Amino acid sequence: MSPFPRRFIEDSSMEDPGISIFPSIYYRPINPNDLDRLEQIHRDLFPIKYESEFFRSVVNGIDIVSWAAVDRSRPEDHSDELIGFVTAKFVLAKESEIDDLIHYDSSKGEETLIYILTLGVVETYRNRGIAMSLISEVIKYASGLSLCRGVYLHVIAHNNAAILLYQRLMFRCVRRLHGFYLIKHQHFDAFLFVYFINGSRTPCSPLEVAMFVVNYMKSGIKSVASKLVNKEEKGLKWLICKDTDCVLPTLTKSNLGSSSGYEFI
């Protein structure tokens, strides 16, 4: 069991001075000078308290790898200040919760995985592709390690934005974990996503197939709804599914909770 808390992803509401219309985002390792800022952002982002040991391990690179996002176009005294980050740790593949999904090659030696612990982007830098770039840095790093078999993480089940991000990055959803998160005395399910590398890819899981079918159906329903709108069917409130003779309500965008502990990108 890891001494560090499970991974969350969130955006901070912290204000950042001197943001350019076209920021110059640069990615680098987290270092000891980032300690105070890193702690501050974690306090603002996450519903759980991280111990000082965790932050010391991150900034000193003790059993943890990390990347910081900074905006070099900001005023000089803020140009190297964290506006986003990702932290991750190595896990032995045979001791992980996805050991049954890994194709092992015993001739290579002790194989590992990288588990993403925390990922965050401050609110004023949202929707700029920073979270995607940070995860891409992890994938690129892991892919260069011959003994690393993949990158994996958990995401709360109702966070559609995060799920879409991981799907775009070619992560695969392999499991649904019931009651995985406990937030304010309430349990929430989580999806387990894996990015397989270095020949460890496994066949599609039943959950992955099911999610593909659901997303495909949603896409089809939205397409039908769009055509109906274009035909100015103003009084229509229901869509008819001809194949199954079922009646489906018109899709509306789900409202994501904003309380502490929910995941957003």
Side-chain angles (χ1 to χ4, degrees), residues 11 20 65 77 79 83 87 94 98 122 136 139 143 182 190 195-196:
D11 284 289
S20 170
V65 291
D77 54 340
S79 64
I83 53 92
T87 67
K94 65 181 182 182
I98 59 171
V122 300
S136 296
I139 293 173
S143 299
L182 178 60
Y195 187 95
F196 294 102

Side-chain angles (χ1 to χ4, degrees), residues 217 238-249:
M217 292 179 64
W238 302 89
L239 298 177
I240 307 300
C241 179
K242 295 182 179 179
D243 293 339
T244 61
D245 294 324
C246 63
V247 180
L248 302 174

Side-chain angles (χ1 to χ4, degrees), residues 127-220:
N127 302 316
R128 297 176 185 267
I130 295 174
M132 179 176 287
S133 295
L134 285 165
I135 298 174
S136 296
E137 290 289 335
V138 180
I139 293 173
K140 181 170 66 174
Y141 172 77
S143 299
L145 304 173
S146 61
L147 294 180
C148 187
R149 313 300 281 167
V151 178
Y152 73 110
L153 52 86
H154 297 91
V155 59
I156 202 165
H158 62 249
N159 188 355
N160 295 328
I163 290 169
L164 180 59
L165 169 66
Y166 301 133
Q167 289 174 334
R168 286 176 176 172
L169 285 165
M170 304 305 294
F171 277 76
R172 293 171 55 188
C173 182
V174 296
R175 286 183 183 137
R176 181 171 187 139
L177 306 173
H178 296 284
F180 182 81
Y181 289 115
L182 178 60
I183 302 171
K184 293 186 175 181
H185 309 292
Q186 184 175 357
H187 287 278
F188 296 89
D189 291 356
F191 288 121
L192 176 59
F193 277 87
V194 184
Y195 187 95
F196 294 102
I197 58 175
N198 295 328
S200 64
R201 185 175 295 275
T202 61
C204 293
S205 68
L207 178 58
E208 187 177 7
V209 173
M211 289 188 68
F212 173 82
V213 172
V214 170
N215 289 334
Y216 180 82
M217 292 179 64
K218 286 182 178 180
S219 176

Side-chain angles (χ1 to χ4, degrees), residues 2-41:
S2 167
F4 302 125
R6 293 286 189 177
R7 190 202 128 269
F8 287 89
I9 173 173
E10 182 80 72
D11 284 289
S12 171
S13 60
M14 294 160 41
E15 293 297 328
D16 288 278
I19 298 177
S20 170
I21 298 177
F22 302 104
S24 177
I25 307 300
Y26 175 79
Y27 301 92
R28 61 166 176 76
I30 293 176
N31 61 58
N33 293 329
D34 298 316
L35 180 60
D36 292 341
R37 175 71 169 174
L38 186 68
E39 290 182 346
Q40 179 187 359
I41 298 177

